[in-house]
Amino acid sequence: MQMSLLDNQIQAIQKLKQYNVGALFMKPGAGKTRVACELIKEVSPDYVLWITPFQTKENLANEIKKWGYEFPQDIIGIESLSNSDHLYLKCRDKLKKSSNSYIIMDESLKIKNKHALRTQRAIKLSRLANYRLIMNGTPLSRNILDLWSQLEFLSPKILNLSFSQFKKTFCEYVTITQIAKNKQQSMDIIKKYHNLEYLYQLIAPFIFSSSLELKVDWHYIRHDFTIDDELLQKYYEI
Protein backbone atom coordinates (compact mmCIF):
# COMPACT_ATOMS: atom_id res chain seq x y z
CA MET A 1 0.00 0.00 0.00
CA GLN A 2 1.45 3.35 -0.98
CA MET A 3 0.17 6.70 0.22
CA SER A 4 1.87 10.07 0.38
CA LEU A 5 3.28 11.07 3.72
CA LEU A 6 1.51 13.86 5.59
CA ASP A 7 3.32 17.12 6.27
CA ASN A 8 3.83 16.39 9.97
CA GLN A 9 5.22 12.94 9.11
CA ILE A 10 7.68 14.45 6.66
CA GLN A 11 8.75 17.01 9.28
CA ALA A 12 9.32 14.24 11.83
CA ILE A 13 11.43 12.19 9.43
CA GLN A 14 13.51 15.19 8.34
CA LYS A 15 14.24 16.11 11.94
CA LEU A 16 14.95 12.70 13.47
CA LYS A 17 16.92 11.12 10.63
CA GLN A 18 19.81 13.43 11.59
CA TYR A 19 20.35 11.45 14.79
CA ASN A 20 20.83 7.86 15.93
CA VAL A 21 18.18 8.39 18.59
CA GLY A 22 14.80 10.08 18.62
CA ALA A 23 11.39 10.41 20.24
CA LEU A 24 8.04 10.57 18.48
CA PHE A 25 5.36 12.04 20.72
CA MET A 26 2.35 12.09 18.43
CA LYS A 27 -1.32 11.50 19.20
CA PRO A 28 -2.95 8.20 18.21
CA GLY A 29 -3.86 8.31 14.53
CA ALA A 30 -1.09 10.75 13.64
CA GLY A 31 0.98 8.05 11.90
CA LYS A 32 3.84 7.28 14.31
CA THR A 33 4.39 3.77 12.97
CA ARG A 34 4.70 4.99 9.39
CA VAL A 35 7.29 7.57 10.47
CA ALA A 36 9.19 4.92 12.42
CA CYS A 37 9.27 2.62 9.40
CA GLU A 38 10.58 5.40 7.19
CA LEU A 39 13.33 6.17 9.71
CA ILE A 40 14.24 2.49 9.87
CA LYS A 41 14.33 2.21 6.09
CA GLU A 42 16.76 5.15 5.93
CA VAL A 43 19.52 3.15 7.66
CA SER A 44 18.94 -0.37 6.19
CA PRO A 45 19.35 -2.27 9.48
CA ASP A 46 20.21 -5.96 9.67
CA TYR A 47 17.95 -6.42 12.71
CA VAL A 48 14.96 -4.48 14.09
CA LEU A 49 13.50 -5.05 17.55
CA TRP A 50 10.07 -3.59 18.29
CA ILE A 51 8.96 -3.53 21.94
CA THR A 52 5.27 -2.81 22.35
CA PRO A 53 2.39 -3.63 24.72
CA PHE A 54 1.48 -7.29 24.23
CA GLN A 55 -2.08 -6.56 23.10
CA THR A 56 -0.86 -4.33 20.24
CA LYS A 57 1.68 -6.75 18.74
CA GLU A 58 -0.63 -8.03 16.02
CA ASN A 59 -1.88 -4.55 15.10
CA LEU A 60 1.69 -3.29 14.82
CA ALA A 61 2.71 -6.20 12.59
CA ASN A 62 -0.32 -5.65 10.36
CA GLU A 63 0.39 -1.94 10.04
CA ILE A 64 4.01 -2.52 9.06
CA LYS A 65 2.85 -5.04 6.46
CA LYS A 66 0.07 -2.75 5.24
CA TRP A 67 2.58 -0.06 4.28
CA GLY A 68 4.74 -2.59 2.47
CA TYR A 69 7.79 -2.49 4.75
CA GLU A 70 9.92 -5.59 5.16
CA PHE A 71 12.54 -5.72 7.88
CA PRO A 72 14.47 -8.56 9.58
CA GLN A 73 12.57 -7.99 12.79
CA ASP A 74 11.07 -9.25 16.02
CA ILE A 75 8.01 -7.74 17.70
CA ILE A 76 7.83 -8.53 21.40
CA GLY A 77 5.50 -7.53 24.22
CA ILE A 78 6.96 -5.32 26.93
CA GLU A 79 5.22 -7.50 29.53
CA SER A 80 6.94 -10.60 28.15
CA LEU A 81 10.30 -8.90 28.48
CA SER A 82 10.02 -9.02 32.26
CA ASN A 83 8.27 -12.39 32.46
CA SER A 84 10.57 -14.39 30.19
CA ASP A 85 14.32 -14.67 30.76
CA HIS A 86 14.54 -16.74 27.58
CA LEU A 87 13.00 -13.99 25.45
CA TYR A 88 15.23 -11.33 26.98
CA LEU A 89 18.40 -13.37 26.36
CA LYS A 90 17.30 -14.22 22.82
CA CYS A 91 16.80 -10.54 21.95
CA ARG A 92 20.08 -9.62 23.60
CA ASP A 93 21.96 -12.22 21.55
CA LYS A 94 20.40 -11.03 18.30
CA LEU A 95 21.34 -7.43 19.05
CA LYS A 96 24.89 -8.44 19.95
CA LYS A 97 25.30 -10.38 16.70
CA SER A 98 23.89 -7.64 14.49
CA SER A 99 26.11 -4.92 13.07
CA ASN A 100 23.44 -2.31 12.32
CA SER A 101 20.46 -2.73 14.62
CA TYR A 102 17.41 -0.62 15.39
CA ILE A 103 15.31 -0.80 18.57
CA ILE A 104 11.92 0.87 18.97
CA MET A 105 10.02 1.28 22.22
CA ASP A 106 6.35 1.76 21.38
CA GLU A 107 4.09 3.21 24.11
CA SER A 108 7.25 4.34 25.90
CA LEU A 109 5.39 5.39 29.06
CA LYS A 110 5.39 1.65 29.80
CA ILE A 111 9.01 2.09 30.91
CA LYS A 112 8.52 5.23 33.04
CA ASN A 113 9.13 3.28 36.28
CA LYS A 114 12.91 2.98 36.58
CA HIS A 115 12.56 0.25 39.24
CA ALA A 116 10.53 -2.12 37.04
CA LEU A 117 12.37 -5.12 35.62
CA ARG A 118 10.95 -4.50 32.15
CA THR A 119 12.33 -0.95 32.22
CA GLN A 120 15.77 -2.12 33.27
CA ARG A 121 15.84 -4.84 30.61
CA ALA A 122 14.56 -2.52 27.89
CA ILE A 123 17.32 -0.02 28.69
CA LYS A 124 19.97 -2.77 28.68
CA LEU A 125 18.77 -3.94 25.25
CA SER A 126 18.80 -0.38 23.94
CA ARG A 127 22.48 -0.06 24.83
CA LEU A 128 23.22 -2.81 22.28
CA ALA A 129 21.41 -1.13 19.37
CA ASN A 130 22.90 1.32 16.88
CA TYR A 131 19.63 3.25 16.50
CA ARG A 132 16.94 3.87 19.12
CA LEU A 133 13.45 5.32 18.92
CA ILE A 134 10.66 5.82 21.45
CA MET A 135 7.03 6.48 20.55
CA ASN A 136 4.04 7.60 22.58
CA GLY A 137 1.06 9.90 22.43
CA THR A 138 2.50 12.03 25.22
CA PRO A 139 5.81 11.92 27.12
CA LEU A 140 4.21 12.37 30.56
CA SER A 141 1.42 10.79 32.56
CA ARG A 142 2.16 12.13 36.05
CA ASN A 143 5.14 14.50 36.11
CA ILE A 144 8.46 15.17 34.42
CA LEU A 145 10.10 12.28 36.29
CA ASP A 146 8.36 10.08 33.69
CA LEU A 147 10.92 11.37 31.19
CA TRP A 148 14.06 10.02 32.81
CA SER A 149 13.74 6.32 31.92
CA GLN A 150 12.52 7.11 28.41
CA LEU A 151 15.53 9.32 27.76
CA GLU A 152 17.87 6.77 29.32
CA PHE A 153 16.51 4.26 26.82
CA LEU A 154 17.56 6.62 24.04
CA SER A 155 20.96 7.56 25.45
CA PRO A 156 22.40 8.43 28.88
CA LYS A 157 24.36 11.19 27.13
CA ILE A 158 21.22 13.28 26.49
CA LEU A 159 20.69 14.15 30.17
CA ASN A 160 23.99 12.93 31.62
CA LEU A 161 22.21 12.81 34.99
CA SER A 162 21.33 10.00 37.36
CA PHE A 163 17.67 9.79 38.38
CA SER A 164 18.50 11.41 41.70
CA GLN A 165 20.40 14.23 40.00
CA PHE A 166 17.57 14.68 37.50
CA LYS A 167 15.01 15.01 40.30
CA LYS A 168 17.14 17.46 42.27
CA THR A 169 17.90 19.57 39.20
CA PHE A 170 14.34 19.96 37.94
CA CYS A 171 12.04 19.34 40.91
CA GLU A 172 11.41 20.89 44.29
CA TYR A 173 9.91 18.20 46.48
CA VAL A 174 9.26 17.13 50.06
CA THR A 175 9.72 13.60 51.36
CA ILE A 176 6.92 12.17 53.48
CA THR A 177 7.70 9.17 55.69
CA GLN A 178 5.01 6.96 57.16
CA ILE A 179 4.64 3.59 58.85
CA ALA A 180 2.52 1.02 56.99
CA LYS A 181 2.25 -2.63 58.03
CA ASN A 182 5.12 -2.14 60.48
CA LYS A 183 7.35 -0.89 57.67
CA GLN A 184 8.66 2.59 57.12
CA GLN A 185 7.79 3.95 53.68
CA SER A 186 8.86 7.19 52.02
CA MET A 187 7.19 9.11 49.25
CA ASP A 188 8.32 12.26 47.45
CA ILE A 189 5.72 14.95 46.77
CA ILE A 190 6.72 17.39 44.01
CA LYS A 191 5.88 21.01 44.88
CA LYS A 192 7.12 22.71 41.71
CA TYR A 193 9.63 22.50 38.87
CA HIS A 194 12.85 24.35 38.17
CA ASN A 195 15.20 24.83 35.19
CA LEU A 196 12.65 23.65 32.63
CA GLU A 197 14.19 25.82 29.91
CA TYR A 198 17.47 24.01 30.46
CA LEU A 199 15.69 20.64 30.29
CA TYR A 200 14.01 21.65 27.06
CA GLN A 201 17.36 22.64 25.56
CA LEU A 202 18.78 19.22 26.41
CA ILE A 203 15.99 17.16 24.89
CA ALA A 204 14.49 19.33 22.12
CA PRO A 205 16.88 18.24 19.33
CA PHE A 206 15.84 14.59 19.69
CA ILE A 207 12.06 15.01 20.04
CA PHE A 208 9.33 15.48 17.49
CA SER A 209 5.91 16.26 18.91
CA SER A 210 2.74 16.79 16.93
CA SER A 211 -0.90 16.92 17.82
CA LEU A 212 -2.02 16.50 14.22
CA GLU A 213 -4.21 13.54 13.44
CA LEU A 214 -4.88 11.78 10.16
CA LYS A 215 -7.66 13.37 8.17
CA VAL A 216 -10.38 10.76 7.80
CA ASP A 217 -13.51 11.27 5.72
CA TRP A 218 -16.61 10.00 7.50
CA HIS A 219 -19.27 8.16 5.50
CA TYR A 220 -22.75 7.92 7.02
CA ILE A 221 -25.11 5.09 6.04
CA ARG A 222 -28.78 5.20 7.02
CA HIS A 223 -30.59 1.91 7.48
CA ASP A 224 -34.29 1.92 8.40
CA PHE A 225 -35.83 -1.09 10.14
CA THR A 226 -38.94 -2.14 12.05
CA ILE A 227 -39.31 -4.02 15.32
CA ASP A 228 -42.28 -5.92 16.72
CA ASP A 229 -43.86 -5.27 20.13
CA GLU A 230 -42.17 -8.24 21.82
CA LEU A 231 -38.66 -7.16 20.80
CA LEU A 232 -39.51 -3.56 21.59
CA GLN A 233 -40.42 -4.58 25.13
CA LYS A 234 -37.08 -6.46 25.44
CA TYR A 235 -35.28 -3.35 24.21
CA TYR A 236 -36.84 -1.19 26.90
CA GLU A 237 -36.07 -3.77 29.58
CA ILE A 238 -32.40 -3.80 28.56
Side-chain angles (χ1 to χ4, degrees):
M1 178 178 180
Q2 293 296 324
M3 187 181 294
S4 298
L5 292 163
L6 301 177
D7 289 344
N8 66 313
Q9 293 174 317
I10 294 172
Q11 291 168 11
I13 294 164
Q14 291 299 321
K15 179 176 183 177
L16 297 184
K17 73 177 184 179
Q18 305 174 66
Y19 308 102
N20 286 19
V21 303
L24 280 173
F25 296 131
M26 301 166 70
K27 286 186 177 180
K32 294 188 295 292
T33 302
R34 180 84 192 276
V35 173
C37 288
E38 286 291 323
L39 290 169
I40 294 168
K41 189 176 73 170
E42 285 273 340
V43 300
S44 302
D46 58 358
Y47 178 60
V48 179
L49 178 62
W50 299 82
I51 307 176
T52 190
F54 185 82
Q55 69 269 22
T56 66
K57 281 176 56 179
E58 186 176 348
N59 289 341
L60 176 60
N62 290 338
E63 192 167 358
I64 296 169
K65 184 178 179 180
K66 176 183 74 175
W67 295 115
Y69 297 103
E70 293 184 1
F71 306 118
Q73 67 183 14
D74 285 322
I75 302 175
I76 66 170
I78 182 66
E79 300 86 353
S80 302
L81 195 58
S82 56
N83 295 333
S84 172
D85 295 340
H86 174 75
L87 178 64
Y88 168 65
L89 294 174
K90 178 183 174 183
C91 293
R92 188 183 68 173
D93 288 343
K94 286 190 174 184
L95 286 167
K96 282 184 174 181
K97 290 176 181 177
S98 64
S99 59
N100 191 39
S101 55
Y102 213 123
I103 188 169
I104 305 96
M105 181 69 233
D106 190 17
E107 301 293 336
S108 57
L109 275 175
K110 294 289 185 181
I111 59 168
K112 68 183 179 183
N113 180 2
K114 76 181 189 72
H115 300 293
L117 179 59
R118 64 186 180 189
T119 300
Q120 296 168 7
R121 286 185 167 180
I123 290 175
K124 287 178 181 178
L125 290 177
S126 76
R127 297 285 191 269
L128 301 173
N130 301 85
Y131 297 89
R132 305 158 199 167
L133 183 71
I134 60 175
M135 304 193 298
N136 208 75
T138 173
L140 308 176
S141 65
R142 298 172 304 171
N143 53 59
I144 63 170
L145 297 182
D146 292 345
L147 276 174
W148 187 84
S149 294
Q150 297 177 77
L151 293 170
E152 279 292 297
F153 178 92
L154 292 182
S155 173
K157 295 179 181 179
I158 295 176
L159 292 172
N160 199 26
L161 295 169
S162 68
F163 181 77
S164 177
Q165 291 171 330
F166 180 80
K167 184 164 64 173
K168 290 176 181 177
T169 302
F170 302 111
C171 301
E172 180 179 328
Y173 60 94
V174 293
T175 302
I176 297 175
T177 303
Q178 58 184 6
I179 304 297
K181 296 181 179 179
N182 297 322
K183 290 184 179 180
Q184 182 172 300
Q185 297 179 341
S186 297
M187 180 173 60
D188 293 332
I189 305 296
I190 296 175
K191 297 171 64 178
K192 58 183 176 180
Y193 300 123
H194 296 297
N195 307 314
L196 293 187
E197 282 297 321
Y198 173 56
L199 175 61
Y200 180 77
Q201 290 174 15
L202 291 176
I203 68 178
F206 311 103
I207 290 177
F208 181 85
S209 179
S210 172
S211 60
L212 296 177
E213 297 183 7
L214 290 175
K215 296 177 180 178
V216 178
D217 292 327
W218 288 87
H219 299 276
Y220 296 92
I221 299 174
R222 174 173 172 166
H223 179 70
D224 296 315
F225 63 94
T226 57
I227 186 169
D228 61 32
D229 291 339
E230 183 180 355
L231 284 176
L232 186 61
Q233 182 61 36
K234 286 286 186 183
Y235 169 80
Y236 286 128
E237 288 175 5
I238 293 171

